[in-house]
Amino acid sequence: MHTVVIIEDNDVVRMTLRALLRHAGYQVVGEAGRGESGIELVRSRRPDVVCLDVQLPGMNGVHVLRELRTHWPTLPVVIVSGYTDRETVTELIECGADAVVVKPFTEARLVDAIRRAMNARRVATVRDR
C-alpha cells in the first residue's frame, strides 16, 4: 500500500482527498494545513507521494515544492489546485511538479495523476542510477 501526505489548507478538500485516496487503496499517513508543517510531515513520515495545494497560509505551495525538490528530489508531488492559469502551472512544472489536478476533481483523475507521477519518478530514478 502506497503512503500519502496531504498538504492542503481547506478542511473540506483535505477530507475529500483523504476519503478518495483511502477508497483507492492509498494510506494517508499525514495531513497538514500549512506548508511548513507539511514539510515536517514529509520529513518524519517519508511518504511515497505528496498531494500539495498551491494556495497555503505562510509558505505557499510553490515554495513547499522547491523545498521538497531540494531535500527529496525523487519524491512524487501531485499539485491539487484551483489555480490553473498558465503562469502558475508553468512555474509549478518548472519547479518539479509531477502532475497538476484541477479542483474540483474526481477520484479517477486524482488516482491517475498519482500513478503517472509515481511511474515517472520511478523511471527517472532508474535512469539516474
Side-chain angles (χ1 to χ4, degrees), residues 13-14 24 31 36-37 41 49 60-63 66 71-75 77-78 92 96 102 124:
V13 175
R14 204 167 50 242
E31 299 175 26
E36 299 86 350
S37 53
L41 275 176
V49 65
N60 73 28
V62 173
H63 294 301
R66 287 184 178 136
H71 298 287
W72 302 279
T74 61
L75 176 65
V77 178
V78 175
L92 290 165
V102 178

Side-chain angles (χ1 to χ4, degrees), residues 104-122:
F105 51 86
T106 63
E107 179 179 336
R109 269 202 267 144
L110 177 65
V111 170
D112 181 58
I114 290 171
R115 286 186 184 138
R116 283 186 291 112
M118 292 179 77
N119 286 337
R121 287 288 162 182
R122 192 172 312 130

Side-chain angles (χ1 to χ4, degrees), residues 7-58:
I7 307 173
E8 164 66 60
D9 66 323
N10 183 296
D11 293 338
V12 174
V13 175
R14 204 167 50 242
M15 180 181 68
T16 301
L17 282 168
R18 180 184 341 113
L20 293 176
L21 290 166
R22 286 181 178 166
H23 183 262
Y26 293 89
Q27 180 183 6
V28 177
V29 294
E31 299 175 26
R34 300 181 62 84
E36 299 86 350
S37 53
I39 291 169
E40 287 308 312
L41 275 176
V42 170
R43 187 179 321 283
S44 65
R45 305 287 167 84
R46 303 287 187 186
D48 297 317
V49 65
V50 172
C51 289
L52 174 64
D53 186 18
V54 174
Q55 194 66 27
L56 297 166

